Amino acid sequence: MTTDTLDLQDMQAAAERACELMRVLANPDRLLICCQLSQQEMCVGELEASLGIVQPTLSQQLTVLRNADLVATRREGKNIFYQLTSTSALAVMNTLFQQFCTTPTTRSKK
């Protein structure tokens, strides 16, 4: 921790932003999507094939991620590509990967 202290209003604003990020990530489908997009940009068809999330659900969850400004899109022909652009979300995904997705021998034991 740093020696800088936040005043109460700044702490409350930071807590609100953190809670909003965690609320968006607290859905298994959205978490899987962010995990994939933390590794590389992908189009909807690639996400559907790799995650097994059916199109209507996938589109709905991508909309939530777009509305929360966690992902950005680009169009190439008929394909829409998504990438994780939120540095906060990427930091959370990296931590979650380290804590839950590595083998027990490489993970620190608590």
Side-chain angles (χ1 to χ4, degrees):
M1 288 194 19
T2 65
T3 58
D4 296 335
T5 58
L6 296 173
D7 68 29
L8 182 57
Q9 287 182 335
D10 289 343
M11 286 174 54
Q12 289 170 333
E16 287 295 324
R17 289 191 309 274
C19 285
E20 178 58 23
L21 175 61
M22 298 310 294
R23 183 193 66 74
V24 172
L25 293 178
N27 172 283
D29 289 335
R30 289 193 295 267
L31 196 58
L32 286 170
I33 293 166
C34 286
C35 184
Q36 287 289 77
L37 296 179
S38 72
Q39 303 301 308
Q40 64 182 348
E41 177 185 71
M42 297 178 83
C43 71
V44 175
E46 292 170 329
L47 285 167
E48 184 178 21
S50 68
L51 298 175
I53 301 173
V54 294
Q55 181 67 37
T57 302
L58 182 60
S59 293
Q60 180 183 33
Q61 300 309 331
L62 287 168
T63 297
V64 172
L65 294 171
R66 270 195 323 271
N67 290 342
D69 294 324
L70 301 187
V71 298
T73 62
R74 74 173 177 86
R75 182 177 288 278
E76 187 175 297
K78 292 182 179 182
N79 291 318
I80 298 176
F81 287 85
Y82 287 83
Q83 65 181 44
L84 187 64
T85 55
S86 165
T87 56
S88 297
L90 186 55
V92 170
M93 296 310 301
N94 287 334
T95 299
L96 291 173
F97 179 84
Q98 182 182 27
Q99 293 299 310
F100 296 100
C101 299
T102 58
T103 60
T105 56
T106 60
R107 200 170 43 222
S108 63
K109 296 181 181 178
K110 297 197 175 201

